[in-house]
Amino acid sequence: MSRIKALSLVVLSYLIYVQPIMAVQPNERLADPLLEERARMLSQNIRCLVCQNQSIDDSNATLAKDLRVLVREKLTAGATNDEIFDFLVDRYGDFILLNPPFKPSTYVLWYGPLIFLIVGLLMTVLIMNKSKRRVSEKPLSQAERVSLSKLLEQKDKT
Amino acid sequence: MAKTIFVFPLLVFFGVITYFTIPIVKKSDPKLIPSALVDKDVPENKLPPLFKNKRGFDHGDLVGGETLVNFFSSWCGPCRVEHDILMKISEEKTVRLFGINYKDQTQAAIRWLSELGDPFERIVADRDGRAAIDWGGLWRPRNVSN
């Protein structure tokens, strides 16, 4: 009995101590909580160029660690967020930003979905207009009306 | 007119297919990103020489003539493969070949060079990897030509 109790305690303690897994190591953190929060915010928008689909905040790659430390050093030295992003873009290009910048070369990216939506709507309107016209284009001819009434009579008989 | 417009989605579809198929057929590596530093000045560096008997260099030494700057490490596997090519380049003497020893221990780097040969005219040491970031470096040593 006591063994089961002890075992369940161990299991429970594991459940309690579940923490979000972070790549940021304790010794990297800044003492100032405000700066640290900014550092986390910035790192979440900086791509780890080794793993490429992770931010440097999530990645365990050594380059990600180097960049995390670099971001924190710059913050401590009083750099603004934009200065830090610019510093990285100068070296690695826009690809290092997880949130692509809005500029002429990315207009297709940002406006693309809107253009597709407009084209889609236009085509829908065109198609619907056409089908409406097809139904009410012209009245039935004499011959058509006769054959229609014949068909209806047949239906009534059965 | 009304009918030709319905060809449009099909054209877009084939356009997209072509765009995404070309890199697959060409077997290009999607992880390779074009460098942001092409046509720009070489980043400033004030790194110390790797060891006493060999001169170091700074960004000023790269002016005039073409120089191939190679990041290398004794712990880096692909560098071993690359080293043969570097040795050939240094024999041909068409470009100057400078080395930056990346995140390495000096003794290990010296042993590496004495074992495999030393193709470099000058070598500096980037112990914390900070210079590599200035050069747009990734997870392991990389070549940069000027």
Side-chain angles (χ1 to χ4, degrees), chain A residues 47 49-53 61-63 65-67 69-71 73 87-95 116 119 122-123 126-127 130, chain B residues 2-3 5-6 8-9 12 16 30-37 40 43 102-103 128-130 132-139 142:
Chain A
R47 186 192 302 275
L49 289 163
V50 179
C51 359
Q52 300 201 347
N53 284 324
T62 49
L63 178 70
K65 186 193 162 77
D66 288 352
L67 288 178
V69 173
L70 187 109
V71 165
E73 271 181 29
F87 175 89
L88 292 169
V89 168
D90 280 348
R91 281 154 184 78
Y92 290 101
D94 286 333
F95 190 63
F116 275 106
V119 169
L122 270 176
M123 294 194 68
L126 271 176
I127 292 167
K130 214 184 163 193
Chain B
K3 263 184 187 163
I5 199 166
F6 295 105
F8 180 67
V12 172
V16 170
K31 285 197 133 197
L32 282 180
I33 324 143
S35 170
L37 296 170
K40 284 196 192 161
Y102 173 73
K103 280 191 180 174
D128 58 3
R130 238 352 120 69
I133 291 177
D134 285 337
W135 290 73
L138 298 177
W139 64 280
R142 190 181 198 192

Short mmCIF file of all heavy atoms in Angstrom, two decimals, chain A residues 47 49-53 61-63 65-67 69-71 73 87-95 116 119 122-123 126-127 130, chain B residues 2-3 5-6 8-9 12 16 30-37 40 43 102-103 128-130 132-139 142:
data_model
loop_
_atom_site.label_atom_id
_atom_site.label_comp_id
_atom_site.label_asym_id
_atom_site.label_seq_id
_atom_site.Cartn_x
_atom_site.Cartn_y
_atom_site.Cartn_z
N ARG A 47 14.78 33.84 -37.09
CA ARG A 47 14.86 32.47 -37.55
C ARG A 47 16.22 31.87 -37.23
O ARG A 47 17.25 32.52 -37.42
CB ARG A 47 14.64 32.43 -39.06
CG ARG A 47 14.56 31.05 -39.66
CD ARG A 47 14.65 31.09 -41.16
NE ARG A 47 13.62 31.92 -41.77
CZ ARG A 47 12.39 31.48 -42.06
NH1 ARG A 47 12.06 30.25 -41.80
NH2 ARG A 47 11.52 32.28 -42.61
N LEU A 49 18.92 29.87 -38.58
CA LEU A 49 19.24 29.55 -39.97
C LEU A 49 19.79 28.14 -40.12
O LEU A 49 20.03 27.68 -41.23
CB LEU A 49 20.22 30.57 -40.53
CG LEU A 49 19.57 31.93 -40.73
CD1 LEU A 49 20.59 33.02 -40.88
CD2 LEU A 49 18.64 31.90 -41.92
N VAL A 50 19.97 27.46 -39.02
CA VAL A 50 20.43 26.07 -39.09
C VAL A 50 19.23 25.15 -39.26
O VAL A 50 19.18 24.32 -40.16
CB VAL A 50 21.23 25.70 -37.84
CG1 VAL A 50 21.69 24.27 -37.91
CG2 VAL A 50 22.41 26.63 -37.68
N CYS A 51 18.23 25.32 -38.39
CA CYS A 51 17.05 24.45 -38.45
C CYS A 51 15.99 25.05 -39.36
O CYS A 51 15.16 24.35 -39.90
CB CYS A 51 16.46 24.22 -37.08
SG CYS A 51 17.34 25.05 -35.77
N GLN A 52 16.00 26.36 -39.51
CA GLN A 52 15.19 27.12 -40.45
C GLN A 52 13.69 27.18 -40.16
O GLN A 52 13.04 28.11 -40.57
CB GLN A 52 15.44 26.66 -41.89
CG GLN A 52 16.90 26.86 -42.26
CD GLN A 52 17.15 26.91 -43.74
OE1 GLN A 52 16.31 26.57 -44.53
NE2 GLN A 52 18.33 27.35 -44.11
N ASN A 53 13.12 26.19 -39.51
CA ASN A 53 11.71 26.34 -39.19
C ASN A 53 11.49 26.56 -37.70
O ASN A 53 10.39 26.40 -37.20
CB ASN A 53 10.90 25.14 -39.69
CG ASN A 53 10.71 25.22 -41.19
OD1 ASN A 53 10.54 26.30 -41.73
ND2 ASN A 53 10.77 24.09 -41.85
N ALA A 61 20.44 24.79 -31.54
CA ALA A 61 21.65 24.87 -32.37
C ALA A 61 22.63 25.87 -31.76
O ALA A 61 22.22 26.82 -31.09
CB ALA A 61 21.28 25.31 -33.78
N THR A 62 23.91 25.64 -32.00
CA THR A 62 24.92 26.53 -31.38
C THR A 62 24.82 27.94 -31.94
O THR A 62 25.00 28.91 -31.20
CB THR A 62 26.34 25.99 -31.61
OG1 THR A 62 26.48 25.68 -32.99
CG2 THR A 62 26.60 24.77 -30.78
N LEU A 63 24.50 28.05 -33.25
CA LEU A 63 24.37 29.39 -33.82
C LEU A 63 23.21 30.13 -33.15
O LEU A 63 23.30 31.33 -32.87
CB LEU A 63 24.16 29.33 -35.33
CG LEU A 63 23.96 30.68 -36.01
CD1 LEU A 63 25.25 31.49 -36.01
CD2 LEU A 63 23.42 30.55 -37.41
N LYS A 65 22.15 29.73 -30.14
CA LYS A 65 22.61 30.15 -28.82
C LYS A 65 23.48 31.41 -28.94
O LYS A 65 23.29 32.37 -28.20
CB LYS A 65 23.41 29.02 -28.16
CG LYS A 65 23.81 29.32 -26.73
CD LYS A 65 24.85 28.32 -26.24
CE LYS A 65 25.57 28.82 -25.02
NZ LYS A 65 24.82 28.73 -23.78
N ASP A 66 24.41 31.40 -29.91
CA ASP A 66 25.27 32.57 -30.11
C ASP A 66 24.44 33.81 -30.39
O ASP A 66 24.74 34.90 -29.89
CB ASP A 66 26.23 32.32 -31.29
CG ASP A 66 27.32 31.32 -30.93
OD1 ASP A 66 27.39 30.96 -29.74
OD2 ASP A 66 28.07 30.92 -31.83
N LEU A 67 23.39 33.63 -31.22
CA LEU A 67 22.56 34.79 -31.58
C LEU A 67 21.74 35.26 -30.38
O LEU A 67 21.55 36.45 -30.18
CB LEU A 67 21.65 34.45 -32.76
CG LEU A 67 22.35 34.32 -34.11
CD1 LEU A 67 21.36 33.93 -35.20
CD2 LEU A 67 23.05 35.61 -34.51
N VAL A 69 22.63 35.09 -27.26
CA VAL A 69 23.55 35.83 -26.40
C VAL A 69 23.83 37.21 -27.00
O VAL A 69 23.84 38.22 -26.29
CB VAL A 69 24.85 35.03 -26.21
CG1 VAL A 69 25.89 35.85 -25.46
CG2 VAL A 69 24.56 33.74 -25.45
N LEU A 70 24.02 37.23 -28.33
CA LEU A 70 24.30 38.49 -29.02
C LEU A 70 23.15 39.49 -28.86
O LEU A 70 23.36 40.67 -28.56
CB LEU A 70 24.53 38.20 -30.50
CG LEU A 70 24.98 39.37 -31.36
CD1 LEU A 70 26.42 39.15 -31.76
CD2 LEU A 70 24.13 39.53 -32.59
N VAL A 71 21.91 38.99 -29.04
CA VAL A 71 20.72 39.85 -28.88
C VAL A 71 20.69 40.43 -27.47
O VAL A 71 20.48 41.63 -27.28
CB VAL A 71 19.43 39.04 -29.16
CG1 VAL A 71 18.20 39.78 -28.65
CG2 VAL A 71 19.29 38.76 -30.65
N GLU A 73 23.22 40.84 -25.39
CA GLU A 73 24.32 41.80 -25.21
C GLU A 73 23.94 43.16 -25.77
O GLU A 73 24.20 44.19 -25.16
CB GLU A 73 25.57 41.30 -25.93
CG GLU A 73 26.45 40.42 -25.08
CD GLU A 73 27.68 39.97 -25.84
OE1 GLU A 73 28.15 40.71 -26.74
OE2 GLU A 73 28.16 38.87 -25.54
N PHE A 87 20.80 44.82 -37.75
CA PHE A 87 22.12 44.20 -37.61
C PHE A 87 22.09 42.79 -38.20
O PHE A 87 22.98 42.39 -38.97
CB PHE A 87 22.49 44.14 -36.12
CG PHE A 87 23.77 43.43 -35.83
CD1 PHE A 87 24.98 44.12 -35.81
CD2 PHE A 87 23.79 42.06 -35.53
CE1 PHE A 87 26.17 43.47 -35.52
CE2 PHE A 87 24.98 41.41 -35.25
CZ PHE A 87 26.17 42.12 -35.24
N LEU A 88 21.04 42.03 -37.88
CA LEU A 88 20.96 40.64 -38.34
C LEU A 88 20.64 40.57 -39.84
O LEU A 88 21.20 39.73 -40.55
CB LEU A 88 19.92 39.89 -37.53
CG LEU A 88 20.32 39.68 -36.07
CD1 LEU A 88 19.14 39.19 -35.26
CD2 LEU A 88 21.47 38.69 -35.97
N VAL A 89 19.74 41.45 -40.30
CA VAL A 89 19.36 41.43 -41.71
C VAL A 89 20.57 41.80 -42.58
O VAL A 89 20.77 41.22 -43.65
CB VAL A 89 18.17 42.39 -41.97
CG1 VAL A 89 17.97 42.61 -43.46
CG2 VAL A 89 16.91 41.82 -41.35
N ASP A 90 21.41 42.73 -42.10
CA ASP A 90 22.62 43.09 -42.83
C ASP A 90 23.51 41.88 -43.07
O ASP A 90 24.19 41.79 -44.09
CB ASP A 90 23.44 44.12 -42.03
CG ASP A 90 22.88 45.52 -42.20
OD1 ASP A 90 22.02 45.70 -43.09
OD2 ASP A 90 23.27 46.42 -41.43
N ARG A 91 23.54 40.97 -42.13
CA ARG A 91 24.44 39.82 -42.23
C ARG A 91 23.80 38.61 -42.90
O ARG A 91 24.47 37.86 -43.61
CB ARG A 91 24.94 39.46 -40.83
CG ARG A 91 26.03 40.38 -40.39
CD ARG A 91 26.12 40.50 -38.88
NE ARG A 91 27.15 41.47 -38.53
CZ ARG A 91 26.98 42.78 -38.58
NH1 ARG A 91 25.81 43.27 -38.99
NH2 ARG A 91 27.95 43.61 -38.26
N TYR A 92 22.51 38.40 -42.61
CA TYR A 92 21.89 37.16 -43.07
C TYR A 92 20.76 37.36 -44.07
O TYR A 92 20.22 36.40 -44.60
CB TYR A 92 21.38 36.37 -41.87
CG TYR A 92 22.48 35.80 -41.01
CD1 TYR A 92 22.85 36.42 -39.84
CD2 TYR A 92 23.16 34.66 -41.40
CE1 TYR A 92 23.88 35.90 -39.05
CE2 TYR A 92 24.18 34.14 -40.63
CZ TYR A 92 24.54 34.76 -39.47
OH TYR A 92 25.54 34.25 -38.71
N GLY A 93 20.36 38.61 -44.31
CA GLY A 93 19.25 38.85 -45.23
C GLY A 93 17.90 38.75 -44.53
O GLY A 93 17.82 38.36 -43.37
N ASP A 94 16.84 39.11 -45.27
CA ASP A 94 15.50 39.14 -44.70
C ASP A 94 15.05 37.78 -44.19
O ASP A 94 14.15 37.68 -43.36
CB ASP A 94 14.47 39.61 -45.75
CG ASP A 94 14.58 41.11 -46.00
OD1 ASP A 94 15.02 41.82 -45.08
OD2 ASP A 94 14.23 41.54 -47.10
N PHE A 95 15.67 36.72 -44.73
CA PHE A 95 15.25 35.36 -44.38
C PHE A 95 15.37 35.10 -42.88
O PHE A 95 14.68 34.25 -42.32
CB PHE A 95 16.10 34.35 -45.16
CG PHE A 95 15.59 32.95 -45.06
CD1 PHE A 95 14.34 32.61 -45.55
CD2 PHE A 95 16.36 31.95 -44.48
CE1 PHE A 95 13.86 31.33 -45.46
CE2 PHE A 95 15.89 30.65 -44.39
CZ PHE A 95 14.64 30.33 -44.88
N PHE A 116 -5.92 36.83 -55.24
CA PHE A 116 -6.59 35.56 -55.52
C PHE A 116 -8.06 35.63 -55.10
O PHE A 116 -8.94 35.12 -55.78
CB PHE A 116 -5.89 34.41 -54.79
CG PHE A 116 -4.73 33.87 -55.56
CD1 PHE A 116 -3.43 34.14 -55.17
CD2 PHE A 116 -4.93 33.09 -56.69
CE1 PHE A 116 -2.35 33.66 -55.89
CE2 PHE A 116 -3.87 32.59 -57.42
CZ PHE A 116 -2.57 32.89 -57.02
N VAL A 119 -9.93 37.73 -57.73
CA VAL A 119 -10.11 36.95 -58.96
C VAL A 119 -11.19 35.90 -58.75
O VAL A 119 -12.09 35.71 -59.59
CB VAL A 119 -8.78 36.29 -59.39
CG1 VAL A 119 -9.02 35.27 -60.49
CG2 VAL A 119 -7.79 37.34 -59.84
N LEU A 122 -14.63 37.54 -58.69
CA LEU A 122 -14.99 37.95 -60.04
C LEU A 122 -15.51 36.76 -60.84
O LEU A 122 -16.55 36.85 -61.50
CB LEU A 122 -13.77 38.55 -60.75
CG LEU A 122 -13.58 40.04 -60.59
CD1 LEU A 122 -12.28 40.48 -61.26
CD2 LEU A 122 -14.77 40.79 -61.19
N MET A 123 -14.79 35.64 -60.76
CA MET A 123 -15.19 34.47 -61.54
C MET A 123 -16.51 33.92 -61.04
O MET A 123 -17.36 33.49 -61.83
CB MET A 123 -14.10 33.41 -61.48
CG MET A 123 -12.84 33.90 -62.18
SD MET A 123 -11.66 32.62 -62.50
CE MET A 123 -12.52 31.67 -63.72
N LEU A 126 -19.22 36.09 -62.43
CA LEU A 126 -19.38 35.83 -63.86
C LEU A 126 -20.18 34.55 -64.09
O LEU A 126 -21.12 34.53 -64.89
CB LEU A 126 -18.00 35.69 -64.51
CG LEU A 126 -17.37 36.98 -65.04
CD1 LEU A 126 -15.97 36.70 -65.56
CD2 LEU A 126 -18.25 37.56 -66.16
N ILE A 127 -19.80 33.50 -63.39
CA ILE A 127 -20.44 32.20 -63.59
C ILE A 127 -21.92 32.27 -63.20
O ILE A 127 -22.80 31.78 -63.89
CB ILE A 127 -19.71 31.10 -62.79
CG1 ILE A 127 -18.33 30.86 -63.39
CG2 ILE A 127 -20.51 29.81 -62.78
CD1 ILE A 127 -17.43 30.04 -62.50
N LYS A 130 -23.99 34.13 -65.70
CA LYS A 130 -24.17 33.37 -66.92
C LYS A 130 -25.27 32.32 -66.75
O LYS A 130 -26.14 32.18 -67.61
CB LYS A 130 -22.85 32.70 -67.28
CG LYS A 130 -22.65 32.60 -68.78
CD LYS A 130 -21.38 31.85 -69.06
CE LYS A 130 -21.41 31.38 -70.50
NZ LYS A 130 -20.34 30.40 -70.71
N ALA B 2 -15.77 34.94 -72.66
CA ALA B 2 -16.27 34.34 -71.41
C ALA B 2 -15.62 32.98 -71.17
O ALA B 2 -15.42 32.59 -70.02
CB ALA B 2 -17.77 34.20 -71.47
N LYS B 3 -15.29 32.28 -72.28
CA LYS B 3 -14.73 30.94 -72.09
C LYS B 3 -13.23 30.99 -71.80
O LYS B 3 -12.72 30.20 -71.01
CB LYS B 3 -15.01 30.09 -73.31
CG LYS B 3 -16.24 29.23 -73.10
CD LYS B 3 -16.49 28.30 -74.25
CE LYS B 3 -17.84 27.60 -74.05
NZ LYS B 3 -18.33 26.99 -75.28
N ILE B 5 -11.57 32.95 -70.08
CA ILE B 5 -11.24 33.29 -68.71
C ILE B 5 -11.12 32.04 -67.84
O ILE B 5 -10.41 32.01 -66.85
CB ILE B 5 -12.26 34.29 -68.12
CG1 ILE B 5 -11.64 34.98 -66.91
CG2 ILE B 5 -13.57 33.62 -67.76
CD1 ILE B 5 -12.35 36.19 -66.43
N PHE B 6 -11.79 30.95 -68.25
CA PHE B 6 -11.73 29.73 -67.44
C PHE B 6 -10.42 28.98 -67.62
O PHE B 6 -10.12 28.06 -66.88
CB PHE B 6 -12.92 28.82 -67.76
CG PHE B 6 -14.22 29.43 -67.36
CD1 PHE B 6 -15.09 29.96 -68.30
CD2 PHE B 6 -14.55 29.53 -66.01
CE1 PHE B 6 -16.28 30.56 -67.92
CE2 PHE B 6 -15.74 30.13 -65.63
CZ PHE B 6 -16.60 30.64 -66.58
N PHE B 8 -7.68 30.53 -67.28
CA PHE B 8 -6.80 31.26 -66.36
C PHE B 8 -6.39 30.45 -65.12
O PHE B 8 -5.19 30.31 -64.85
CB PHE B 8 -7.48 32.58 -65.97
CG PHE B 8 -6.66 33.42 -65.04
CD1 PHE B 8 -5.47 34.00 -65.45
CD2 PHE B 8 -7.09 33.63 -63.73
CE1 PHE B 8 -4.73 34.77 -64.59
CE2 PHE B 8 -6.35 34.40 -62.86
CZ PHE B 8 -5.16 34.97 -63.29
N PRO B 9 -7.34 29.85 -64.38
CA PRO B 9 -6.92 29.06 -63.20
C PRO B 9 -5.98 27.92 -63.58
O PRO B 9 -5.03 27.61 -62.85
CB PRO B 9 -8.22 28.51 -62.65
CG PRO B 9 -9.27 29.40 -63.17
CD PRO B 9 -8.80 29.88 -64.51
N VAL B 12 -2.57 29.32 -64.08
CA VAL B 12 -1.98 29.62 -62.76
C VAL B 12 -1.50 28.32 -62.12
O VAL B 12 -0.39 28.23 -61.60
CB VAL B 12 -3.00 30.33 -61.85
CG1 VAL B 12 -2.45 30.46 -60.44
CG2 VAL B 12 -3.33 31.70 -62.41
N VAL B 16 2.31 27.47 -61.02
CA VAL B 16 2.73 27.11 -59.66
C VAL B 16 3.47 25.78 -59.65
O VAL B 16 4.53 25.63 -59.04
CB VAL B 16 1.50 27.06 -58.72
CG1 VAL B 16 1.87 26.46 -57.37
CG2 VAL B 16 0.93 28.45 -58.54
N PRO B 30 17.17 23.34 -50.67
CA PRO B 30 16.35 24.47 -50.25
C PRO B 30 16.90 25.18 -49.01
O PRO B 30 16.49 26.27 -48.69
CB PRO B 30 14.99 23.83 -49.94
CG PRO B 30 15.31 22.40 -49.65
CD PRO B 30 16.50 22.06 -50.48
N LYS B 31 17.82 24.51 -48.32
CA LYS B 31 18.36 25.13 -47.11
C LYS B 31 19.44 26.15 -47.42
O LYS B 31 19.83 26.92 -46.55
CB LYS B 31 18.93 24.05 -46.18
CG LYS B 31 17.84 23.27 -45.46
CD LYS B 31 18.42 22.53 -44.28
CE LYS B 31 17.57 22.72 -43.05
NZ LYS B 31 18.27 22.38 -41.83
N LEU B 32 19.96 26.10 -48.65
CA LEU B 32 20.99 27.08 -49.02
C LEU B 32 20.35 28.43 -49.28
O LEU B 32 19.48 28.56 -50.13
CB LEU B 32 21.74 26.62 -50.27
CG LEU B 32 22.79 25.53 -50.06
CD1 LEU B 32 23.44 25.20 -51.40
CD2 LEU B 32 23.84 25.96 -49.07
N ILE B 33 20.78 29.42 -48.54
CA ILE B 33 20.21 30.75 -48.70
C ILE B 33 21.26 31.62 -49.38
O ILE B 33 22.44 31.56 -49.02
CB ILE B 33 19.90 31.37 -47.34
CG1 ILE B 33 19.40 30.30 -46.38
CG2 ILE B 33 18.90 32.49 -47.46
CD1 ILE B 33 19.90 30.53 -44.99
N PRO B 34 20.84 32.43 -50.34
CA PRO B 34 21.81 33.34 -50.95
C PRO B 34 22.38 34.28 -49.88
O PRO B 34 21.65 34.77 -49.03
CB PRO B 34 21.00 34.11 -51.99
CG PRO B 34 19.57 33.88 -51.64
CD PRO B 34 19.51 32.57 -50.93
N SER B 35 23.67 34.53 -49.94
CA SER B 35 24.29 35.38 -48.94
C SER B 35 23.82 36.81 -49.08
O SER B 35 23.63 37.32 -50.17
CB SER B 35 25.81 35.32 -49.09
OG SER B 35 26.40 36.30 -48.27
N ALA B 36 23.64 37.46 -47.94
CA ALA B 36 23.21 38.86 -47.94
C ALA B 36 24.39 39.79 -48.15
O ALA B 36 24.23 40.99 -48.25
CB ALA B 36 22.51 39.18 -46.63
N LEU B 37 25.59 39.21 -48.20
CA LEU B 37 26.79 40.05 -48.21
C LEU B 37 27.43 40.20 -49.58
O LEU B 37 28.47 40.84 -49.72
CB LEU B 37 27.82 39.48 -47.23
CG LEU B 37 27.38 39.48 -45.76
CD1 LEU B 37 28.35 38.70 -44.91
CD2 LEU B 37 27.27 40.91 -45.25
N LYS B 40 29.01 43.44 -51.05
CA LYS B 40 29.22 44.39 -49.95
C LYS B 40 30.67 44.33 -49.49
O LYS B 40 31.41 43.41 -49.82
CB LYS B 40 28.30 44.04 -48.77
CG LYS B 40 26.86 44.45 -49.03
CD LYS B 40 26.09 44.45 -47.73
CE LYS B 40 24.60 44.56 -47.98
NZ LYS B 40 23.84 44.12 -46.83
N PRO B 43 33.34 42.47 -43.82
CA PRO B 43 33.15 42.98 -42.46
C PRO B 43 34.48 43.28 -41.76
O PRO B 43 35.48 42.62 -42.02
CB PRO B 43 32.40 41.86 -41.75
CG PRO B 43 32.58 40.66 -42.60
CD PRO B 43 32.79 41.13 -43.98
N TYR B 102 37.70 28.72 -36.63
CA TYR B 102 36.41 29.00 -36.01
C TYR B 102 36.19 28.16 -34.76
O TYR B 102 36.25 26.92 -34.84
CB TYR B 102 35.33 28.74 -37.06
CG TYR B 102 33.90 28.81 -36.60
CD1 TYR B 102 33.30 30.02 -36.31
CD2 TYR B 102 33.14 27.64 -36.46
CE1 TYR B 102 31.98 30.08 -35.89
CE2 TYR B 102 31.82 27.69 -36.06
CZ TYR B 102 31.24 28.92 -35.77
OH TYR B 102 29.94 28.97 -35.37
N LYS B 103 35.96 28.82 -33.63
CA LYS B 103 35.59 28.15 -32.37
C LYS B 103 36.44 26.90 -32.13
O LYS B 103 35.90 25.79 -32.00
CB LYS B 103 34.12 27.74 -32.40
CG LYS B 103 33.16 28.88 -32.10
CD LYS B 103 31.79 28.32 -31.89
CE LYS B 103 30.77 29.39 -31.60
NZ LYS B 103 29.41 28.85 -31.53
N ASP B 128 35.21 32.90 -30.23
CA ASP B 128 33.81 32.84 -29.75
C ASP B 128 32.79 32.78 -30.89
O ASP B 128 31.59 32.72 -30.64
CB ASP B 128 33.50 34.02 -28.82
CG ASP B 128 33.72 35.36 -29.50
OD1 ASP B 128 34.07 35.36 -30.69
OD2 ASP B 128 33.56 36.39 -28.82
N GLY B 129 33.27 32.79 -32.14
CA GLY B 129 32.34 32.68 -33.26
C GLY B 129 31.64 33.98 -33.61
O GLY B 129 30.74 33.99 -34.44
N ARG B 130 32.04 35.07 -33.00
CA ARG B 130 31.39 36.36 -33.25
C ARG B 130 31.69 36.87 -34.66
O ARG B 130 30.82 37.41 -35.35
CB ARG B 130 31.90 37.38 -32.24
CG ARG B 130 30.93 38.10 -31.33
CD ARG B 130 29.50 37.90 -31.60
NE ARG B 130 28.76 37.32 -30.53
CZ ARG B 130 28.49 37.91 -29.38
NH1 ARG B 130 28.89 39.11 -29.15
NH2 ARG B 130 27.82 37.29 -28.46
N ALA B 132 32.28 35.10 -37.22
CA ALA B 132 31.54 34.29 -38.18
C ALA B 132 30.14 34.86 -38.39
O ALA B 132 29.61 34.81 -39.50
CB ALA B 132 31.45 32.85 -37.69
N ILE B 133 29.54 35.40 -37.33
CA ILE B 133 28.22 36.01 -37.47
C ILE B 133 28.31 37.24 -38.37
O ILE B 133 27.44 37.47 -39.21
CB ILE B 133 27.63 36.35 -36.08
CG1 ILE B 133 27.31 35.06 -35.33
CG2 ILE B 133 26.40 37.24 -36.19
CD1 ILE B 133 26.80 35.25 -33.93
N ASP B 134 29.39 38.04 -38.20
CA ASP B 134 29.58 39.20 -39.06
C ASP B 134 29.69 38.81 -40.52
O ASP B 134 29.31 39.56 -41.41
CB ASP B 134 30.85 39.97 -38.66
CG ASP B 134 30.64 40.77 -37.38
OD1 ASP B 134 29.48 41.07 -37.06
OD2 ASP B 134 31.63 41.07 -36.70
N TRP B 135 30.22 37.64 -40.78
CA TRP B 135 30.40 37.16 -42.15
C TRP B 135 29.17 36.37 -42.64
O TRP B 135 29.20 35.77 -43.70
CB TRP B 135 31.62 36.24 -42.25
CG TRP B 135 32.94 36.94 -42.10
CD1 TRP B 135 33.46 37.44 -40.94
CD2 TRP B 135 33.90 37.20 -43.12
NE1 TRP B 135 34.70 38.00 -41.19
CE2 TRP B 135 34.99 37.87 -42.52
CE3 TRP B 135 33.95 36.94 -44.49
CZ2 TRP B 135 36.11 38.28 -43.23
CZ3 TRP B 135 35.07 37.33 -45.21
CH2 TRP B 135 36.14 38.00 -44.57
N GLY B 136 28.12 36.35 -41.84
CA GLY B 136 26.92 35.62 -42.23
C GLY B 136 27.12 34.12 -42.16
O GLY B 136 26.57 33.38 -42.97
N GLY B 137 27.91 33.68 -41.19
CA GLY B 137 28.25 32.26 -41.09
C GLY B 137 27.11 31.43 -40.53
O GLY B 137 26.25 31.93 -39.81
N LEU B 138 27.12 30.15 -40.85
CA LEU B 138 26.08 29.26 -40.35
C LEU B 138 26.66 28.31 -39.31
O LEU B 138 27.52 28.70 -38.54
CB LEU B 138 25.43 28.51 -41.52
CG LEU B 138 24.76 29.45 -42.52
CD1 LEU B 138 24.20 28.70 -43.69
CD2 LEU B 138 23.66 30.26 -41.85
N TRP B 139 26.21 27.10 -39.29
CA TRP B 139 26.57 26.24 -38.17
C TRP B 139 27.96 25.64 -38.28
O TRP B 139 28.50 25.12 -37.34
CB TRP B 139 25.55 25.15 -37.96
CG TRP B 139 25.48 24.20 -39.12
CD1 TRP B 139 24.82 24.41 -40.29
CD2 TRP B 139 26.06 22.91 -39.22
NE1 TRP B 139 24.98 23.35 -41.12
CE2 TRP B 139 25.72 22.40 -40.49
CE3 TRP B 139 26.83 22.13 -38.35
CZ2 TRP B 139 26.14 21.14 -40.91
CZ3 TRP B 139 27.24 20.88 -38.79
CH2 TRP B 139 26.89 20.40 -40.05
N ARG B 142 32.55 28.04 -43.41
CA ARG B 142 32.03 28.35 -44.73
C ARG B 142 33.08 29.14 -45.50
O ARG B 142 33.92 29.80 -44.91
CB ARG B 142 30.79 29.22 -44.49
CG ARG B 142 29.95 29.47 -45.68
CD ARG B 142 28.80 30.37 -45.27
NE ARG B 142 27.73 30.31 -46.25
CZ ARG B 142 26.71 31.15 -46.28
NH1 ARG B 142 26.61 32.08 -45.39
NH2 ARG B 142 25.79 31.03 -47.20
#
